[in-house]
């Protein structure tokens, strides 16, 4: 029996735990900050603890005799949880603190891209002086993305035209990032604003080679038609052919090539990347550009790809740790997926916490949809919201339309007075808009 520890209590981790549990010889142990009912049910044992409390997680892992650990969220990676577990002889299918820097230090990521001449780079510079930042912003006519250097849970980036209405807005936000040390440093990264359609490409990495997964499109904005503030992600979809309707096979291959180059560069730097590497790309008229690199599965994107995985996930994790990924048989079902998050009313601004949600698990399953719990708590058999996303429903179908219908049928069995869902995700109208947008930018697909 292989004892597997999964760290994290979100829907991404629920999806990871489900994949682990499909593996016959494994037994699941978990550590999470909330009481995720889906994860608790799958676990042989669990501990409620902050995922960044390295000592507590290590103690639990040693106590339970864990063979393999998988870390879901980015914050414990930054704290060096992987390194500490490895020191105690535990295998970890997640990057060390140094290799996770590709996500936790955006300036370093951009420098690496330049040093190794990785394609997909954008014009960028980092500043600790607001006046120099202003000069650079003005030199780009205010067409910029203003980014904290460190982690902000996907909510710290502001982009001209979307959240920044003028050059002055951009300058003021850059100053605020520096002065308030948003993202942990008195420093700000300014990038040229990219125009296009975003896609996510995730890949397994054994430090040398990657195995790419189907492309996914996330929806970061809170409101329908991509309005409102940025969130952790409101939902996502993938297509049965593994690429998205607005992109071509060669766009996908370009993304794969870029990720492969990132992994090779990290190895050359002496920080081989073990685990899932995540590329957020903007498909522009000049091809795929890197928006950011993450050092773990995306949330929601994990829920699109993991249910389609053919082959034993725990085996795949071992092959990443052991550096022999190419020897494993890996594949994904030719199915489309649509994932929609249920979030508390006010999410993204001020969430209504501790509100009950009525979830009819049996009916969701009967509709053929999959339920993944996120940041909720279970008390006396009832589910309550926290300030973060509550749960996600995934539909899997022959094509996106089919998957979307199944997802919506599942969502009918989630009820609450104070919940919110972006129903437009995966709908034909929104996808047509994306195709049209790309067509306009490029002339044709
Ligand atoms: P990040 O946390 O870096 O993924 O940024 C959050 C979101 O901001 C991304 O998903 C994009 O929608 C947007 N964004 C980030 N960088 C850029 C950029 N250089 N140009 C345009 N949009 C961007």
């Amino acid at each position: 029996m292989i004892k597997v520890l999964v760290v994290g209590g979100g829907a991404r981790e629920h999806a990871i735990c489900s994949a682990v549990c499909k593996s016959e010889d494994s037994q699941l142990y978990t550590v999470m900050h909330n009481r995720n009912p889906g994860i608790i049910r799958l676990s042989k044992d669990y501990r409620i603890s902050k995922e960044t409390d390295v000592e507590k997680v290590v103690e639990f892992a040693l106590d339970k005799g864990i063979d393999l650990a998988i870390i879901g969220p980015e914050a414990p990676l930054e704290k060096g949880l992987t390194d500490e577990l490895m020191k105690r002889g535990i295998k970890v299918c997640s990057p060390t603190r140094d290799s996770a820097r590709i996500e936790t230090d955006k300036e370093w990521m951009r420098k690496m891209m330049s040093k190794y001449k990785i394609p997909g780079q954008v014009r960028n510079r980092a500043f600790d002086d607001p006046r120099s930042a202003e000069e650079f912003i003005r030199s780009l006519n205010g067409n910029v993305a203003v980014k904290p250097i460190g982690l902000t849970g996907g909510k710290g980036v502001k982009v001209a035209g979307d959240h920044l209405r003028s050059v002055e807005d951009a300058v003021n936000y850059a100053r605020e990032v520096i002065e308030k040390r948003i993202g942990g440093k008195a420093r700000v990264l300014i990038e040229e604003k990219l125009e296009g359609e975003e896609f996510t490409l995730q890949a397994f990495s054994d430090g040398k080679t990657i195995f790419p997964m189907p492309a996914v499109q996330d929806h970061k904005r809170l409101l329908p038609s991509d309005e409102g503030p940025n969130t952790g992600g409101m939902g996502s979809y993938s297509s049965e052919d593994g690429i998205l309707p607005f992109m071509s096979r060669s766009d996908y291959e370009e993304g794969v090539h870029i990720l492969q180059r990132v992994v090779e560069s990290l190895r050359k730097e002496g920080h081989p990347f073990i685990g899932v590497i995540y590329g957020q790309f903007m498909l522009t008229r000049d091809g795929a550009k890197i928006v950011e690199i993450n050092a773990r599965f995306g949330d929601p994107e994990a829920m699109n790809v993991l249910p389609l995985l053919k082959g034993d996930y725990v085996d795949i994790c071992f092959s990443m740790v052991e550096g022999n990924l190419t020897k494993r048989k890996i594949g994904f079902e030719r199915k489309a997926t649509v994932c929609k998050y249920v979030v508390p009313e006010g999410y993204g601004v001020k969430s209504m916490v501790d509100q009950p949600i009525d979830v009819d698990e049996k009916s969701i399953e009967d509709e053929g949809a999959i339920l993944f719990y996120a940041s909720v708590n279970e008390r006396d058999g009832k589910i309550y919201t926290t300030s973060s996303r509550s749960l996600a429903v995934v539909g899997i179908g022959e094509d996106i339309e089919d998957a979307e219908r199944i997802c919506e049928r599942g969502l009918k069995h989630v009820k609450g007075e104070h919940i919110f869902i972006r129903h437009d995700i995966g709908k034909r109208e929104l996808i047509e808009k994306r195709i049209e947008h790309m067509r306009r930018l490029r002339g044709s697909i």
Side-chain angles (χ1 to χ4, degrees), residues 285-299:
R285 66 154 61 90
D286 307 316
K289 306 279 180 194
I290 287 197
V291 171
E292 68 167 344
I293 304 281
N294 289 339
R296 35 123 194 135
F297 267 121
D299 186 350

Side-chain angles (χ1 to χ4, degrees), residues 106 110 122-123 143-147 152-160 162-163 191-196 198 218 220-221 230-231 278 280 282 290-294:
K106 287 186 158 84
R110 289 294 177 202
V122 303
R123 284 185 67 186
N143 253 324
V144 293
V146 180
K147 301 185 168 191
T152 55
K155 293 154 206 151
V157 173
K158 292 197 177 173
V159 181
D162 295 339
H163 324 90
E191 292 179 359
E192 79 181 278
K193 180 189 172 179
L194 298 166
E195 213 197 318
E198 281 184 89
D218 180 20
K220 283 238 189 309
R221 306 291 286 271
N230 269 343
T231 68
Y278 166 118
Q280 179 80 42
M282 185 77 80
I290 287 197
V291 171
E292 68 167 344
I293 304 281
N294 289 339

Side-chain angles (χ1 to χ4, degrees), residues 29-299:
Y29 293 82
T30 49
V31 175
M32 66 201 119
H33 69 280
N34 54 312
R35 302 185 67 82
N36 182 314
I39 296 178
I40 288 176
R41 225 170 295 152
L42 294 172
S43 304
K44 168 98 173 125
D45 200 357
Y46 66 93
R47 173 160 300 175
I48 301 297
S49 160
K50 261 169 66 178
E51 291 111 6
T52 46
D53 189 337
V54 172
E55 232 168 83
K56 281 237 174 70
V57 180
V58 171
E59 184 191 287
F60 180 73
L62 290 174
D63 188 36
K64 298 297 164 192
I66 295 300
D67 301 298
L68 174 77
I70 303 167
I71 301 162
E74 57 276 23
L77 298 175
E78 190 181 35
K79 284 264 183 246
L81 178 57
T82 303
D83 311 60
E84 289 306 313
L85 288 165
M86 281 168 65
K87 269 190 212 153
R88 311 300 180 92
I90 297 169
K91 292 187 168 155
V92 189
C93 188
S94 290
T96 59
R97 189 207 309 247
D98 284 340
S99 27
R101 208 169 156 202
I102 198 75
E103 167 168 10
T104 60
D105 184 342
K106 287 186 158 84
E107 182 182 1
W108 189 74
M109 182 274 275
R110 289 294 177 202
K111 286 207 169 119
M112 270 253 314
M113 286 191 70
S114 297
K115 180 171 171 188
Y116 292 96
K117 301 196 167 54
I118 299 174
Q121 176 69 304
V122 303
R123 284 185 67 186
N124 72 93
R125 272 178 71 188
F127 302 92
D128 45 24
D129 161 35
R131 240 180 272 158
S132 314
E134 174 167 0
E135 254 173 55
F136 188 63
I137 291 169
R138 290 196 186 280
S139 77
L140 291 172
N141 296 323
N143 253 324
V144 293
V146 180
K147 301 185 168 191
I149 306 287
L151 299 178
T152 55
K155 293 154 206 151
V157 173
K158 292 197 177 173
V159 181
D162 295 339
H163 324 90
L164 305 168
R165 292 270 147 222
S166 62
V167 177
E168 279 64 41
D169 269 7
V171 169
N172 288 339
Y173 185 57
R175 179 184 300 276
E176 191 184 334
V177 170
I178 294 172
E179 284 171 0
K180 293 194 182 153
R181 303 174 69 91
I182 299 177
K185 272 192 188 174
R187 209 164 159 75
V188 68
L189 178 68
I190 310 291
E191 292 179 359
E192 79 181 278
K193 180 189 172 179
L194 298 166
E195 213 197 318
E197 280 298 326
E198 281 184 89
F199 69 94
T200 299
L201 182 60
Q202 304 169 105
F204 297 118
S205 166
D206 67 2
K208 302 184 289 275
T209 314
I210 64 165
F211 187 95
M213 308 184 209
V216 181
Q217 190 174 43
D218 180 20
H219 298 69
K220 283 238 189 309
R221 306 291 286 271
L222 177 69
L223 303 173
S225 304
D226 298 322
E227 303 283 339
N230 269 343
T231 68
M234 296 298 291
S236 46
Y237 67 92
S238 69
S239 173
E240 66 282 6
D241 56 6
I243 60 173
L244 295 161
F246 54 81
M247 66 197 275
S248 67
R249 177 64 55 189
S250 75
D251 296 326
Y252 176 87
E253 294 302 339
E254 202 178 337
V256 173
H257 173 69
I258 292 173
L259 277 190
Q260 176 67 42
R261 290 286 306 276
V262 170
V263 165
E264 282 165 13
S265 308
L266 281 167
R267 188 177 159 79
K268 285 186 192 144
E269 287 286 303
H271 310 306
F273 188 100
I274 308 297
V276 171
I277 190 151
Y278 166 118
Q280 179 80 42
F281 292 93
M282 185 77 80
L283 188 56
T284 69
R285 66 154 61 90
D286 307 316
K289 306 279 180 194
I290 287 197
V291 171
E292 68 167 344
I293 304 281
N294 289 339
R296 35 123 194 135
F297 267 121
D299 186 350

Side-chain angles (χ1 to χ4, degrees), residues 16 18-24 26 204 211 305-317 319 327-333:
I16 293 172
S18 299
V20 166
C21 289
K22 277 190 202 151
S23 169
E24 271 174 27
S26 53
F204 297 118
F211 187 95
V305 294
L306 277 173
L308 302 181
L309 181 64
K310 291 195 279 194
D312 186 308
Y313 180 52
V314 174
D315 265 2
I316 296 170
C317 287
S319 68
K327 292 207 183 113
R328 295 290 156 148
K329 265 193 128 162
I330 307 174
F332 291 87
E333 279 179 69

